[in-house]
């Protein structure tokens, strides 16, 4: 019996990287996991198969957060999948993980790029929480994935950091709003994590980034997933409105902190 046996969860952006690791971990703990993805059906099915292979249950749901009505599309699919698997459309855990980065100099940032980033990274999580609440029983869990970049500067990701700062406000304000229902709302902020980026295949880049952490290594998706699983469990019941640094102590002791 896992800590989440009998629970249901939705993980956005779960076709790869941190999202996939979160879906796999929640599945191992017994949750039925709705695996959200934008367009890569093959990658999403890989996540589903991985969850099932480890003894869990999962189904995939597509929705492109950069398009109008995407959150409604997502929750239509989630409700359908939950009813098929459990007979009811009840959602215990929401993990807002989906996000896109910019990687351009501030002078080159365009309004269209900014708007898409805010739509995917900030607007979608806000309305995902709104849509989830009628389906969520008292004592539910909402976990928003932010970034350590809201606490340190990386100019080419200014728009990304802005969008993730907005996500943190979702956690803060909804934590207060939902406290009477026993629903916890928290933020987890990863640092540099090995999501399969081409950049991290460069040994020099990898070594330099590893040197910024207290542990001298780059984070793995499972490092973040374990923190999320704790918050999703009953053990996390007394934490709400929190910001949990899951960056491996990136830049500890520097002025950026």
């Amino acid at each position: 019996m896992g800590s989440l046996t009998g629970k249901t969860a939705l993980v956005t952006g779960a076709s790869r990287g941190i999202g996939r690791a979160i879906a796999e971990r929640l599945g191992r703990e017994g949750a039925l996991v709705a695996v959200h993805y934008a367009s890569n059906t093959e990658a999403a099915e890989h996540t589903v198969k991985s969850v099932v292979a480890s003894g869990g249950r999962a189904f995939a749901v597509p929705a492109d957060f950069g398009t109008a009505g995407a959150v409604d599309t997502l929750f239509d699919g989630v409700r359908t999948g939950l009813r098929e698997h459990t007979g009811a459309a009840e959602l215990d855990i929401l993990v807002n993980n989906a996000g896109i980065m910019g990687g351009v100099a501030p002078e080159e940032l365009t309004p269209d790029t900014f708007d898409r980033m805010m739509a995917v990274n900030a607007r979608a999580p806000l309305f995902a929480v709104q849509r989830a609440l009628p389906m969520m029983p008292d004592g539910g869990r909402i976990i928003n994935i932010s970034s350590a970049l809201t606490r340190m500067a990386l100019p080419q990701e200014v728009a990304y950091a802005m969008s993730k700062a907005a996500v943190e406000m979702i956690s803060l304000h909804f934590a207060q709003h939902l406290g009477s229902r026993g629903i916890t709302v928290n933020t987890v902020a990863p640092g540099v994590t090995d999501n399969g980026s081409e950049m991290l295949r460069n040994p020099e880049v990898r070594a330099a980034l590893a040197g910024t952490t207290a542990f001298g290594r780059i984070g793995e998706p499972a490092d973040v997933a374990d923190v999320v699983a704790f918050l999703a469990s009953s053990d996390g019941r007394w934490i709400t409105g929190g910001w949990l640094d899951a960056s491996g102590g990136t830049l500890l002791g520097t002025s950026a902190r």
Side-chain angles (χ1 to χ4, degrees):
M1 295 287 286
S3 64
L4 301 177
T5 297
K7 302 293 186 181
T8 59
L10 165 61
V11 182
T12 68
S15 64
R16 63 182 181 86
I18 291 173
R20 175 177 289 171
I22 292 170
E24 291 171 343
R25 178 61 199 275
L26 298 185
R28 287 199 302 273
E29 292 297 331
L32 167 64
V33 184
V35 173
H36 161 260
Y37 67 102
S39 59
N40 193 332
T41 302
E42 182 178 356
E45 288 301 331
H46 177 81
T47 300
V48 170
K49 290 177 181 177
S50 179
V51 172
V52 172
S54 62
R57 295 186 298 157
F59 61 93
V61 187
D64 182 355
F65 284 161
T67 61
V71 173
D72 290 333
T73 298
L74 170 63
F75 276 85
D76 286 345
V78 170
R79 280 189 290 267
T80 297
L82 291 176
R83 289 191 182 104
E84 288 177 353
H85 285 80
T86 70
E90 187 171 279
L91 182 66
D92 298 293
I93 302 159
L94 169 63
V95 182
N96 278 313
N97 167 75
I100 56 175
M101 299 186 76
V104 299
E107 296 85 353
E108 298 173 6
L109 181 67
T110 66
D112 286 346
T113 298
F114 177 84
D115 289 347
R116 177 168 173 78
M117 201 170 299
M118 294 299 290
V120 175
N121 296 358
R123 188 178 69 193
L126 171 63
F127 288 101
V129 171
Q130 184 189 74
R131 299 295 191 276
L133 288 179
M135 304 167 59
M136 186 170 286
D138 291 356
R141 300 284 187 265
I142 299 170
I143 300 149
N144 296 312
I145 305 301
S146 180
S147 170
L149 287 179
T150 64
R151 300 296 193 275
M152 62 189 73
L154 184 62
Q156 60 265 39
E157 293 295 352
V158 59
Y160 174 77
M162 289 173 66
S163 70
K164 288 300 188 179
V167 167
E168 295 176 8
M169 291 303 98
I170 295 172
S171 295
L172 181 66
H173 293 276
F174 272 97
Q176 174 68 23
H177 184 61
L178 299 173
S180 62
R181 291 184 54 190
I183 296 173
T184 67
V185 191
N186 290 290
T187 297
V188 174
V192 178
T193 306
D194 192 349
N195 273 339
S197 168
E198 287 290 332
M199 176 185 70
L200 295 179
R201 294 183 182 181
N202 183 315
E204 293 182 357
V205 171
R206 192 177 184 91
L209 291 172
T212 67
T213 73
F215 300 119
R217 69 171 176 87
I218 289 173
E220 296 294 333
D223 295 324
V224 182
D226 289 347
V227 178
V228 172
F230 164 73
L231 290 173
S233 75
S234 61
D235 291 340
R237 64 191 175 278
W238 200 235
I239 302 174
T240 196
W243 187 89
L244 278 72
D245 185 323
S247 73
T250 298
L251 299 182
L252 278 176
T254 70
S255 58
R257 301 294 297 182

